[in-house]
PDB file of all heavy atoms in Angstrom:
ATOM      1  N   LEU A 200     -59.646 104.032-154.334  1.00  0.00           N
ATOM      2  CA  LEU A 200     -59.611 102.572-154.276  1.00  0.00           C
ATOM      3  C   LEU A 200     -61.021 102.012-154.439  1.00  0.00           C
ATOM      4  O   LEU A 200     -61.925 102.352-153.682  1.00  0.00           O
ATOM      5  CB  LEU A 200     -59.025 102.117-152.937  1.00  0.00           C
ATOM      6  CG  LEU A 200     -58.960 100.609-152.690  1.00  0.00           C
ATOM      7  CD1 LEU A 200     -57.984  99.954-153.659  1.00  0.00           C
ATOM      8  CD2 LEU A 200     -58.565 100.329-151.241  1.00  0.00           C
ATOM      9  N   ARG A 201     -61.196 101.135-155.422  1.00  0.00           N
ATOM     10  CA  ARG A 201     -62.504 100.521-155.678  1.00  0.00           C
ATOM     11  C   ARG A 201     -62.279  99.050-156.029  1.00  0.00           C
ATOM     12  O   ARG A 201     -61.821  98.736-157.134  1.00  0.00           O
ATOM     13  CB  ARG A 201     -63.251 101.229-156.800  1.00  0.00           C
ATOM     14  CG  ARG A 201     -63.461 102.731-156.561  1.00  0.00           C
ATOM     15  CD  ARG A 201     -64.180 103.392-157.716  1.00  0.00           C
ATOM     16  NE  ARG A 201     -65.571 102.971-157.811  1.00  0.00           N
ATOM     17  CZ  ARG A 201     -66.579 103.543-157.172  1.00  0.00           C
ATOM     18  NH1 ARG A 201     -66.343 104.575-156.361  1.00  0.00           N
ATOM     19  NH2 ARG A 201     -67.804 103.114-157.310  1.00  0.00           N
ATOM     20  N   LEU A 202     -62.580  98.166-155.090  1.00  0.00           N
ATOM     21  CA  LEU A 202     -62.393  96.737-155.295  1.00  0.00           C
ATOM     22  C   LEU A 202     -63.703  95.998-155.052  1.00  0.00           C
ATOM     23  O   LEU A 202     -64.377  96.231-154.046  1.00  0.00           O
ATOM     24  CB  LEU A 202     -61.314  96.193-154.339  1.00  0.00           C
ATOM     25  CG  LEU A 202     -59.892  96.714-154.527  1.00  0.00           C
ATOM     26  CD1 LEU A 202     -59.000  96.215-153.401  1.00  0.00           C
ATOM     27  CD2 LEU A 202     -59.334  96.289-155.880  1.00  0.00           C
ATOM     28  N   LYS A 203     -64.040  95.108-155.963  1.00  0.00           N
ATOM     29  CA  LYS A 203     -65.236  94.295-155.805  1.00  0.00           C
ATOM     30  C   LYS A 203     -64.940  93.119-154.878  1.00  0.00           C
ATOM     31  O   LYS A 203     -63.785  92.767-154.644  1.00  0.00           O
ATOM     32  CB  LYS A 203     -65.708  93.782-157.164  1.00  0.00           C
ATOM     33  CG  LYS A 203     -66.131  94.885-158.138  1.00  0.00           C
ATOM     34  CD  LYS A 203     -66.568  94.279-159.458  1.00  0.00           C
ATOM     35  CE  LYS A 203     -67.000  95.361-160.448  1.00  0.00           C
ATOM     36  NZ  LYS A 203     -67.410  94.781-161.764  1.00  0.00           N
ATOM     37  N   ALA A 204     -65.997  92.509-154.355  1.00  0.00           N
ATOM     38  CA  ALA A 204     -65.831  91.331-153.515  1.00  0.00           C
ATOM     39  C   ALA A 204     -65.301  90.164-154.344  1.00  0.00           C
ATOM     40  O   ALA A 204     -65.468  90.121-155.562  1.00  0.00           O
ATOM     41  CB  ALA A 204     -67.167  90.964-152.869  1.00  0.00           C
ATOM     42  N   GLY A 205     -64.641  89.222-153.668  1.00  0.00           N
ATOM     43  CA  GLY A 205     -64.109  88.050-154.351  1.00  0.00           C
ATOM     44  C   GLY A 205     -62.604  88.093-154.448  1.00  0.00           C
ATOM     45  O   GLY A 205     -61.941  88.939-153.838  1.00  0.00           O
ATOM     46  N   ALA A 206     -62.030  87.178-155.197  1.00  0.00           N
ATOM     47  CA  ALA A 206     -60.577  87.110-155.378  1.00  0.00           C
ATOM     48  C   ALA A 206     -60.132  88.237-156.303  1.00  0.00           C
ATOM     49  O   ALA A 206     -60.703  88.426-157.385  1.00  0.00           O
ATOM     50  CB  ALA A 206     -60.176  85.761-155.953  1.00  0.00           C
ATOM     51  N   ARG A 207     -59.116  88.970-155.887  1.00  0.00           N
ATOM     52  CA  ARG A 207     -58.633  90.106-156.667  1.00  0.00           C
ATOM     53  C   ARG A 207     -57.108  90.073-156.761  1.00  0.00           C
ATOM     54  O   ARG A 207     -56.410  89.848-155.774  1.00  0.00           O
ATOM     55  CB  ARG A 207     -59.077  91.430-156.019  1.00  0.00           C
ATOM     56  CG  ARG A 207     -60.574  91.656-156.074  1.00  0.00           C
ATOM     57  CD  ARG A 207     -61.028  91.967-157.495  1.00  0.00           C
ATOM     58  NE  ARG A 207     -62.477  91.981-157.622  1.00  0.00           N
ATOM     59  CZ  ARG A 207     -63.212  90.987-158.082  1.00  0.00           C
ATOM     60  NH1 ARG A 207     -62.616  89.860-158.456  1.00  0.00           N
ATOM     61  NH2 ARG A 207     -64.506  91.090-158.176  1.00  0.00           N
ATOM     62  N   GLN A 208     -56.607  90.322-157.949  1.00  0.00           N
ATOM     63  CA  GLN A 208     -55.174  90.425-158.191  1.00  0.00           C
ATOM     64  C   GLN A 208     -54.786  91.890-158.067  1.00  0.00           C
ATOM     65  O   GLN A 208     -55.350  92.754-158.754  1.00  0.00           O
ATOM     66  CB  GLN A 208     -54.824  89.893-159.587  1.00  0.00           C
ATOM     67  CG  GLN A 208     -53.359  89.962-159.946  1.00  0.00           C
ATOM     68  CD  GLN A 208     -52.520  88.890-159.269  1.00  0.00           C
ATOM     69  OE1 GLN A 208     -53.071  87.961-158.685  1.00  0.00           O
ATOM     70  NE2 GLN A 208     -51.210  89.015-159.342  1.00  0.00           N
ATOM     71  N   LEU A 209     -53.829  92.183-157.189  1.00  0.00           N
ATOM     72  CA  LEU A 209     -53.443  93.567-156.928  1.00  0.00           C
ATOM     73  C   LEU A 209     -52.030  93.845-157.407  1.00  0.00           C
ATOM     74  O   LEU A 209     -51.124  93.055-157.149  1.00  0.00           O
ATOM     75  CB  LEU A 209     -53.520  93.864-155.427  1.00  0.00           C
ATOM     76  CG  LEU A 209     -54.806  93.498-154.686  1.00  0.00           C
ATOM     77  CD1 LEU A 209     -54.690  93.918-153.215  1.00  0.00           C
ATOM     78  CD2 LEU A 209     -56.024  94.136-155.337  1.00  0.00           C
ATOM     79  N   ASP A 210     -51.857  94.977-158.108  1.00  0.00           N
ATOM     80  CA  ASP A 210     -50.498  95.410-158.417  1.00  0.00           C
ATOM     81  C   ASP A 210     -49.964  96.190-157.224  1.00  0.00           C
ATOM     82  O   ASP A 210     -50.633  96.313-156.179  1.00  0.00           O
ATOM     83  CB  ASP A 210     -50.466  96.242-159.696  1.00  0.00           C
ATOM     84  CG  ASP A 210     -51.279  97.529-159.608  1.00  0.00           C
ATOM     85  OD1 ASP A 210     -51.676  97.928-158.489  1.00  0.00           O
ATOM     86  OD2 ASP A 210     -51.516  98.163-160.651  1.00  0.00           O
ATOM     87  N   GLY A 211     -48.759  96.716-157.333  1.00  0.00           N
ATOM     88  CA  GLY A 211     -48.113  97.356-156.202  1.00  0.00           C
ATOM     89  C   GLY A 211     -48.894  98.527-155.624  1.00  0.00           C
ATOM     90  O   GLY A 211     -49.112  98.597-154.410  1.00  0.00           O
ATOM     91  N   LYS A 212     -49.314  99.458-156.457  1.00  0.00           N
ATOM     92  CA  LYS A 212     -50.018 100.636-155.957  1.00  0.00           C
ATOM     93  C   LYS A 212     -51.353 100.265-155.322  1.00  0.00           C
ATOM     94  O   LYS A 212     -51.753 100.834-154.306  1.00  0.00           O
ATOM     95  CB  LYS A 212     -50.229 101.634-157.094  1.00  0.00           C
ATOM     96  CG  LYS A 212     -48.955 102.325-157.552  1.00  0.00           C
ATOM     97  CD  LYS A 212     -49.249 103.380-158.611  1.00  0.00           C
ATOM     98  CE  LYS A 212     -47.982 104.111-159.017  1.00  0.00           C
ATOM     99  NZ  LYS A 212     -48.242 105.149-160.049  1.00  0.00           N
ATOM    100  N   THR A 213     -52.044  99.302-155.930  1.00  0.00           N
ATOM    101  CA  THR A 213     -53.337  98.895-155.378  1.00  0.00           C
ATOM    102  C   THR A 213     -53.153  98.145-154.066  1.00  0.00           C
ATOM    103  O   THR A 213     -53.933  98.313-153.127  1.00  0.00           O
ATOM    104  CB  THR A 213     -54.095  98.015-156.384  1.00  0.00           C
ATOM    105  OG1 THR A 213     -54.151  98.684-157.649  1.00  0.00           O
ATOM    106  CG2 THR A 213     -55.513  97.757-155.910  1.00  0.00           C
ATOM    107  N   ALA A 214     -52.101  97.320-153.974  1.00  0.00           N
ATOM    108  CA  ALA A 214     -51.823  96.612-152.730  1.00  0.00           C
ATOM    109  C   ALA A 214     -51.510  97.599-151.612  1.00  0.00           C
ATOM    110  O   ALA A 214     -51.935  97.416-150.461  1.00  0.00           O
ATOM    111  CB  ALA A 214     -50.668  95.642-152.927  1.00  0.00           C
ATOM    112  N   LEU A 215     -50.765  98.652-151.927  1.00  0.00           N
ATOM    113  CA  LEU A 215     -50.451  99.671-150.936  1.00  0.00           C
ATOM    114  C   LEU A 215     -51.725 100.354-150.449  1.00  0.00           C
ATOM    115  O   LEU A 215     -51.941 100.527-149.242  1.00  0.00           O
ATOM    116  CB  LEU A 215     -49.496 100.695-151.531  1.00  0.00           C
ATOM    117  CG  LEU A 215     -49.113 101.871-150.632  1.00  0.00           C
ATOM    118  CD1 LEU A 215     -48.402 101.382-149.379  1.00  0.00           C
ATOM    119  CD2 LEU A 215     -48.253 102.864-151.389  1.00  0.00           C
ATOM    120  N   ALA A 216     -52.591 100.742-151.371  1.00  0.00           N
ATOM    121  CA  ALA A 216     -53.852 101.386-150.998  1.00  0.00           C
ATOM    122  C   ALA A 216     -54.734 100.434-150.195  1.00  0.00           C
ATOM    123  O   ALA A 216     -55.376 100.826-149.216  1.00  0.00           O
ATOM    124  CB  ALA A 216     -54.588 101.851-152.256  1.00  0.00           C
ATOM    125  N   PHE A 217     -54.763  99.164-150.584  1.00  0.00           N
ATOM    126  CA  PHE A 217     -55.554  98.139-149.899  1.00  0.00           C
ATOM    127  C   PHE A 217     -55.116  98.018-148.439  1.00  0.00           C
ATOM    128  O   PHE A 217     -55.944  97.895-147.531  1.00  0.00           O
ATOM    129  CB  PHE A 217     -55.365  96.809-150.634  1.00  0.00           C
ATOM    130  CG  PHE A 217     -56.039  95.637-149.996  1.00  0.00           C
ATOM    131  CD1 PHE A 217     -57.408  95.436-150.126  1.00  0.00           C
ATOM    132  CD2 PHE A 217     -55.302  94.709-149.270  1.00  0.00           C
ATOM    133  CE1 PHE A 217     -58.026  94.336-149.551  1.00  0.00           C
ATOM    134  CE2 PHE A 217     -55.904  93.608-148.697  1.00  0.00           C
ATOM    135  CZ  PHE A 217     -57.270  93.416-148.827  1.00  0.00           C
ATOM    136  N   ALA A 218     -53.818  98.076-148.194  1.00  0.00           N
ATOM    137  CA  ALA A 218     -53.287  97.900-146.853  1.00  0.00           C
ATOM    138  C   ALA A 218     -53.281  99.189-146.037  1.00  0.00           C
ATOM    139  O   ALA A 218     -53.089  99.150-144.826  1.00  0.00           O
ATOM    140  CB  ALA A 218     -51.868  97.336-146.922  1.00  0.00           C
ATOM    141  N   ARG A 219     -53.485 100.333-146.679  1.00  0.00           N
ATOM    142  CA  ARG A 219     -53.521 101.603-145.959  1.00  0.00           C
ATOM    143  C   ARG A 219     -54.942 102.075-145.687  1.00  0.00           C
ATOM    144  O   ARG A 219     -55.174 102.871-144.778  1.00  0.00           O
ATOM    145  CB  ARG A 219     -52.802 102.682-146.777  1.00  0.00           C
ATOM    146  CG  ARG A 219     -51.304 102.542-146.822  1.00  0.00           C
ATOM    147  CD  ARG A 219     -50.701 103.576-147.759  1.00  0.00           C
ATOM    148  NE  ARG A 219     -51.020 104.932-147.352  1.00  0.00           N
ATOM    149  CZ  ARG A 219     -50.939 106.003-148.154  1.00  0.00           C
ATOM    150  NH1 ARG A 219     -50.563 105.852-149.402  1.00  0.00           N
ATOM    151  NH2 ARG A 219     -51.222 107.186-147.706  1.00  0.00           N
ATOM    152  N   SER A 220     -55.905 101.599-146.450  1.00  0.00           N
ATOM    153  CA  SER A 220     -57.262 102.107-146.360  1.00  0.00           C
ATOM    154  C   SER A 220     -57.895 101.825-144.996  1.00  0.00           C
ATOM    155  O   SER A 220     -57.793 100.720-144.472  1.00  0.00           O
ATOM    156  CB  SER A 220     -58.121 101.466-147.458  1.00  0.00           C
ATOM    157  OG  SER A 220     -59.482 101.824-147.304  1.00  0.00           O
ATOM    158  N   ARG A 221     -58.552 102.845-144.445  1.00  0.00           N
ATOM    159  CA  ARG A 221     -59.286 102.642-143.192  1.00  0.00           C
ATOM    160  C   ARG A 221     -60.516 103.532-143.077  1.00  0.00           C
ATOM    161  O   ARG A 221     -61.311 103.373-142.150  1.00  0.00           O
ATOM    162  CB  ARG A 221     -58.367 102.913-141.995  1.00  0.00           C
ATOM    163  CG  ARG A 221     -57.890 104.345-141.862  1.00  0.00           C
ATOM    164  CD  ARG A 221     -56.896 104.493-140.716  1.00  0.00           C
ATOM    165  NE  ARG A 221     -56.348 105.846-140.626  1.00  0.00           N
ATOM    166  CZ  ARG A 221     -56.866 106.823-139.877  1.00  0.00           C
ATOM    167  NH1 ARG A 221     -57.962 106.591-139.168  1.00  0.00           N
ATOM    168  NH2 ARG A 221     -56.307 108.015-139.849  1.00  0.00           N
ATOM    169  N   HIS A 222     -60.704 104.454-144.023  1.00  0.00           N
ATOM    170  CA  HIS A 222     -61.796 105.416-143.910  1.00  0.00           C
ATOM    171  C   HIS A 222     -63.165 104.799-144.158  1.00  0.00           C
ATOM    172  O   HIS A 222     -64.175 105.303-143.666  1.00  0.00           O
ATOM    173  CB  HIS A 222     -61.570 106.596-144.860  1.00  0.00           C
ATOM    174  CG  HIS A 222     -60.392 107.439-144.483  1.00  0.00           C
ATOM    175  ND1 HIS A 222     -60.341 108.214-143.347  1.00  0.00           N
ATOM    176  CD2 HIS A 222     -59.182 107.600-145.080  1.00  0.00           C
ATOM    177  CE1 HIS A 222     -59.180 108.828-143.265  1.00  0.00           C
ATOM    178  NE2 HIS A 222     -58.447 108.470-144.303  1.00  0.00           N
ATOM    179  N   SER A 223     -63.212 103.688-144.885  1.00  0.00           N
ATOM    180  CA  SER A 223     -64.507 103.052-145.146  1.00  0.00           C
ATOM    181  C   SER A 223     -64.883 102.046-144.073  1.00  0.00           C
ATOM    182  O   SER A 223     -66.021 101.582-144.034  1.00  0.00           O
ATOM    183  CB  SER A 223     -64.484 102.358-146.516  1.00  0.00           C
ATOM    184  OG  SER A 223     -63.486 101.359-146.541  1.00  0.00           O
ATOM    185  N   ASP A 224     -63.929 101.695-143.196  1.00  0.00           N
ATOM    186  CA  ASP A 224     -64.260 100.793-142.087  1.00  0.00           C
ATOM    187  C   ASP A 224     -63.523 101.265-140.832  1.00  0.00           C
ATOM    188  O   ASP A 224     -63.982 102.164-140.165  1.00  0.00           O
ATOM    189  CB  ASP A 224     -63.964  99.328-142.439  1.00  0.00           C
ATOM    190  CG  ASP A 224     -62.668  99.135-143.216  1.00  0.00           C
ATOM    191  OD1 ASP A 224     -61.679  99.817-142.912  1.00  0.00           O
ATOM    192  OD2 ASP A 224     -62.655  98.284-144.123  1.00  0.00           O
ATOM    193  N   SER A 225     -62.371 100.666-140.489  1.00  0.00           N
ATOM    194  CA  SER A 225     -61.664 101.092-139.293  1.00  0.00           C
ATOM    195  C   SER A 225     -60.209 100.639-139.342  1.00  0.00           C
ATOM    196  O   SER A 225     -59.802  99.899-140.239  1.00  0.00           O
ATOM    197  CB  SER A 225     -62.322 100.516-138.034  1.00  0.00           C
ATOM    198  OG  SER A 225     -62.048  99.122-137.926  1.00  0.00           O
ATOM    199  N   ASP A 226     -59.449 101.067-138.349  1.00  0.00           N
ATOM    200  CA  ASP A 226     -58.054 100.674-138.251  1.00  0.00           C
ATOM    201  C   ASP A 226     -57.905  99.180-137.991  1.00  0.00           C
ATOM    202  O   ASP A 226     -56.897  98.576-138.352  1.00  0.00           O
ATOM    203  CB  ASP A 226     -57.374 101.460-137.128  1.00  0.00           C
ATOM    204  CG  ASP A 226     -55.867 101.254-137.094  1.00  0.00           C
ATOM    205  OD1 ASP A 226     -55.221 101.462-138.135  1.00  0.00           O
ATOM    206  OD2 ASP A 226     -55.348 100.881-136.034  1.00  0.00           O
ATOM    207  N   TYR A 227     -58.918  98.558-137.398  1.00  0.00           N
ATOM    208  CA  TYR A 227     -58.843  97.131-137.102  1.00  0.00           C
ATOM    209  C   TYR A 227     -58.950  96.301-138.380  1.00  0.00           C
ATOM    210  O   TYR A 227     -58.216  95.333-138.576  1.00  0.00           O
ATOM    211  CB  TYR A 227     -59.945  96.740-136.110  1.00  0.00           C
ATOM    212  CG  TYR A 227     -60.005  97.677-134.930  1.00  0.00           C
ATOM    213  CD1 TYR A 227     -61.185  98.345-134.598  1.00  0.00           C
ATOM    214  CD2 TYR A 227     -58.866  97.922-134.159  1.00  0.00           C
ATOM    215  CE1 TYR A 227     -61.230  99.222-133.532  1.00  0.00           C
ATOM    216  CE2 TYR A 227     -58.901  98.805-133.090  1.00  0.00           C
ATOM    217  CZ  TYR A 227     -60.086  99.452-132.782  1.00  0.00           C
ATOM    218  OH  TYR A 227     -60.119 100.329-131.724  1.00  0.00           O
TER     219      TYR A 227
END
Side-chain angles (χ1 to χ4, degrees):
L200 178 66
R201 303 179 69 87
L202 295 173
K203 297 179 180 179
R207 293 289 171 261
Q208 180 76 11
L209 309 182
D210 62 13
K212 289 184 177 180
T213 308
L215 177 61
F217 176 77
R219 288 175 59 199
S220 173
R221 65 185 176 92
H222 293 292
S223 61
D224 40 39
S225 73
D226 188 54
Y227 312 124

